[in-house]
Amino acid sequence: MDEQEDYLSTEFKGIAAELWSHNAGWWQEGFTEGADPEYTEQLLPLVARLVGKAERILEVGTGEGQVLRQLSRTAPRGLLVGVDPTPEQLRLAAERAQGERYVRAEAGALPFRDACFDTVVACLVFEHVTDLEGALAEVARVLEAGGGFIFLLNHPLFQTPDSGWIDDQVLEEQYWRIGRYLEEKRTVEEVEKGVFIPFVHRPLSRYLNAARACGLVLEEMVEPAPPAGFLALAPEYYEARFVPRLLALHLRRS
Ligand SMILES: C[S@@+](CC[C@H](N)C(=O)[O-])C[C@H]1O[C@@H](n2cnc3c(N)ncnc32)[C@H](O)[C@@H]1O
């Protein structure tokens, strides 16, 4: 990283941290505890299936802990630990905890010894992480050989910045526009009125090649159609039902 890139990266990280703190309540109210059909109908069951009977699980970017709480109910587990850099998320996670433990840390500096987890989960987190290679190296370091990395992202191809449903009144066509997929870019997006969230867009090959360089190799890839409860929320969601919103990768530590 050159000096200017280093400076921009640090500045973006600072802004991102403030935005996550500021918007913690928005996330908690709109996306947790059954408020969001994509979580209840799709994300939580999918993570539970991919995690299976794993016993020592770390969740990176755990938010208010909904993924770990769900995992604590699906099988007996020896250890469930969640990390997140946002204090407002961790406070609520600790209040709602059902036996899981929560620690303040970010993806690029995990405060755990080598090979102490059999599974790491990251659910809609790495598209907010600036240093991809550093974070993946940390995931690989704390995973035991043969351990699984359950890696969920807003689909990096179809949900590129400036992608979306276009209802073209002139051409009388409707289609899904893809933004500048190949351009790696940090953005702050207004995801709904007055709510600004930091994103880092990267092409899918960046994720897979960086993971492979750390010894994390693809075992399964899932691109589910948006679930029924989500499609029911707006007519244009239904029109775009063949465009996946989610990408789930099950990677294995070689
Ligand atoms: C979209 S929320 C997802 C929360 C949780 N994984 C879930 O699915 O409910 C993204 C989370 O990533 C966290 N986050 C942002 N930057 C991070 C980083 N560099 N390392 C780890 N977590 C980060 C935020 O604080 C936020 O809680």
Side-chain angles (χ1 to χ4, degrees):
M1 217 186 275
D2 67 25
E3 226 169 76
Q4 194 193 3
E5 173 57 17
D6 203 15
Y7 171 75
L8 289 174
S9 182
T10 308
E11 193 178 44
F12 184 81
K13 270 175 92 172
I15 294 167
E18 279 175 29
L19 287 172
W20 277 114
S21 274
H22 184 73
N23 292 313
W26 162 80
W27 175 259
Q28 292 157 0
E29 278 160 36
F31 298 93
T32 72
E33 295 289 85
D36 178 26
E38 285 192 290
Y39 268 94
T40 51
E41 293 177 26
Q42 186 159 75
L43 281 151
L44 296 177
L46 179 60
V47 174
R49 174 178 80 75
L50 293 173
V51 164
K53 293 193 178 351
E55 290 189 348
R56 281 167 292 118
I57 303 172
L58 169 68
E59 190 193 2
V60 175
T62 190
E64 60 65 75
Q66 62 177 334
V67 173
L68 284 186
R69 285 196 302 282
Q70 152 89 358
L71 291 177
S72 76
R73 294 191 283 264
T74 54
R77 318 278 184 188
L79 180 64
L80 289 167
V81 185
V83 299
D84 201 286
T86 307
E88 293 81 354
Q89 298 282 26
L90 286 177
R91 262 198 296 278
L92 191 59
E95 268 174 50
R96 292 178 169 171
Q98 298 170 2
E100 326 86 68
R101 292 186 223 164
Y102 293 97
V103 179
R104 188 169 181 209
E106 66 155 331
L110 298 175
F112 307 106
R113 61 182 166 75
D114 297 357
C116 61
F117 295 100
D118 60 12
T119 301
V120 175
V121 178
C123 180
L124 310 189
V125 173
F126 273 62
E127 56 273 66
H128 309 292
V129 168
T130 325
D131 177 11
L132 174 66
E133 282 76 12
L136 286 172
E138 278 294 85
V139 168
R141 182 184 66 75
V142 301
L143 262 181
E144 66 185 22
F149 180 32
I150 314 301
F151 188 24
L152 294 98
L153 294 164
N154 285 294
H155 201 301
L157 171 53
F158 298 104
Q159 309 300 328
T160 302
D162 299 323
S163 297
W165 186 245
I166 301 294
D167 190 356
D168 190 325
Q169 306 283 331
V170 177
L171 296 177
E172 294 185 3
E173 272 181 347
Q174 295 177 320
Y175 54 88
W176 187 264
R177 178 178 64 197
I178 303 280
R180 297 166 73 151
Y181 171 69
L182 288 175
E183 185 179 42
E184 292 197 24
K185 200 174 174 187
R186 295 175 200 138
T187 52
V188 174
E189 290 179 34
E190 189 171 21
V191 293
E192 63 181 58
K193 199 163 171 29
V195 179
F196 294 88
I197 295 291
F199 285 92
V200 186
H201 168 71
R202 314 174 170 94
L204 178 54
S205 51
R206 255 311 290 294
Y207 284 106
L208 282 171
N209 291 330
R212 192 169 176 278
C214 301
L216 297 165
V217 180
L218 184 64
E219 187 165 292
E220 184 182 349
M221 172 165 158
V222 187
E223 295 174 292
F230 173 79
L231 296 178
L233 294 175
E236 67 271 24
Y237 293 170
Y238 185 75
E239 294 300 329
R241 66 195 177 281
F242 298 114
V243 178
R245 290 168 52 79
L246 179 69
L247 172 68
L249 303 174
H250 189 178
L251 303 160
R252 187 70 67 195
R253 174 85 167 91
S254 58

